[in-house]
Amino acid sequence: MNLKTHYDNLYKDAIQKIQNNEYLIDTAIHSPQDNRYGITLLIRPPEVIKNEIQKFLNQLNAIEPNQYYYRNSDIHITVMSIISCYDEFELKDIRLEEYIKIIEDSFIKPPNIEIEFRGVSASPSCVMIQGFLSNNSLNIIRDRLRENFKLSNLQQSIDKRYSIQTAHSTVVRFTEKLNKKAKFLNAIESFRNHKFGIFKPENLELVYNDWYQKKERVKSLYKFNI
């Protein structure tokens, strides 16, 4: 996949839909009745990059304060959604040690993952930071995870929603009508090619999480040093 072309197409389609008031408002994000949980393997960017992202979010927040902006604690890149969130899934439903073993067996040595956060894109429901990979290491690990879980009898829902191939990070979700839409879109456009930073992750983290990766609802299960 050509990530730049993919992000460009997403952006073009999303901006048109937002301009036409066809964007999607998330009505569950603040609901205490939302009991969707799953397990995810993810990467957390370093604080210096997350702080750079917050400069972008602060500008958007000043224009549209009623949307949902991700805190530093919640910003992440999904490596693989092992079990996609669904109502009332609990850790007691799985044998965690077997998941850890399969994930460990799926790593390549050395992983040599390097990610550049550069520019922003969007979908009809959110705004995201574009992540670019310097090599194919992350996707090789993803393919090995797909194969190894497919060969197991463990509960999993890999690729059931879509086959993940990007390294983006969702940082804004629409939760209300945009009141200053043109100004909001102009602010997004001004960061279209902004360089947020380059990093090599020190670990991948397996978490038990809600749909939005909110810190207070996430439990860290295991960190894989790489």
Side-chain angles (χ1 to χ4, degrees):
M1 173 188 284
N2 183 309
L3 284 178
K4 184 179 186 307
T5 300
H6 176 70
Y7 289 135
D8 286 349
N9 290 339
L10 278 178
Y11 183 77
K12 182 180 179 181
D13 178 69
I15 296 303
Q16 183 174 20
K17 282 185 166 63
I18 294 168
Q19 288 174 335
N20 293 336
N21 291 324
E22 296 172 358
Y23 55 94
L24 306 176
I25 292 175
D26 191 327
T27 58
I29 202 162
H30 298 300
S31 172
Q33 281 77 46
D34 185 2
N35 290 315
R36 294 172 295 171
Y37 279 87
I39 59 171
T40 305
L41 185 65
L42 54 76
I43 291 171
R44 298 191 187 278
E47 287 300 312
V48 63
I49 290 181
K50 290 190 284 190
N51 289 340
E52 189 67 21
I53 292 171
Q54 290 301 330
K55 294 176 185 177
F56 166 58
L57 298 185
N58 288 340
Q59 290 197 27
L60 297 185
N61 194 12
I63 300 167
E64 287 283 352
N66 295 324
Q67 307 308 321
Y68 183 83
Y69 299 94
Y70 276 63
R71 301 166 295 182
N72 274 5
S73 59
D74 305 346
I75 292 174
H76 67 281
I77 296 168
T78 298
V79 174
M80 189 66 71
S81 177
I82 309 295
I83 297 176
S84 295
C85 293
Y86 66 88
D87 280 338
E88 299 179 358
F89 166 69
E90 297 183 22
L91 280 177
K92 65 179 178 60
D93 299 333
I94 63 170
R95 301 182 298 277
L96 180 59
E97 66 279 0
E98 296 187 28
Y99 286 79
I100 292 171
K101 178 66 164 58
I102 286 182
I103 293 170
E104 285 180 329
D105 290 345
S106 300
F107 290 149
I108 57 174
K109 296 181 180 180
N112 194 32
I113 299 170
E114 184 177 77
I115 299 166
E116 179 183 10
F117 272 166
R118 183 179 79 250
V120 298
S121 189
S123 81
S125 63
C126 67
V127 179
M128 63 192 79
I129 306 298
Q130 297 178 157
F132 294 92
L133 304 168
S134 66
N135 57 57
N136 204 35
S137 296
L138 183 59
N139 284 326
I140 291 172
I141 292 171
R142 284 169 166 161
D143 286 341
R144 289 168 62 102
L145 286 166
R146 291 181 176 103
E147 184 63 23
N148 289 339
F149 273 104
K150 182 180 178 181
L151 293 172
S152 78
N153 61 358
L154 301 181
Q155 178 187 168
Q156 53 90 11
S157 55
I158 292 173
D159 294 340
K160 291 292 176 62
R161 292 177 60 231
Y162 57 88
S163 179
I164 188 165
Q165 299 179 61
T166 67
H168 72 274
S169 182
T170 298
V171 293
V172 185
R173 290 186 184 273
F174 302 133
T175 56
E176 293 190 15
K177 178 183 176 182
L178 292 166
N179 295 311
K180 298 179 180 178
K181 184 170 58 180
K183 191 174 181 181
F184 185 77
L185 293 179
N186 285 339
I188 293 173
E189 178 64 28
S190 70
F191 278 81
R192 187 74 179 93
N193 298 299
H194 183 80
K195 294 181 179 180
F196 294 93
I198 301 172
F199 70 101
K200 291 185 176 183
E202 296 179 354
N203 60 66
L204 275 63
E205 185 178 359
L206 183 66
V207 298
Y208 173 64
N209 57 282
D210 71 335
W211 190 267
Y212 309 100
Q213 295 283 349
K214 295 178 182 177
K215 180 181 179 180
E216 58 272 19
R217 303 187 75 179
V218 170
K219 180 178 181 180
S220 182
L221 302 175
Y222 198 86
K223 288 186 178 181
F224 305 87
N225 294 323
I226 58 174

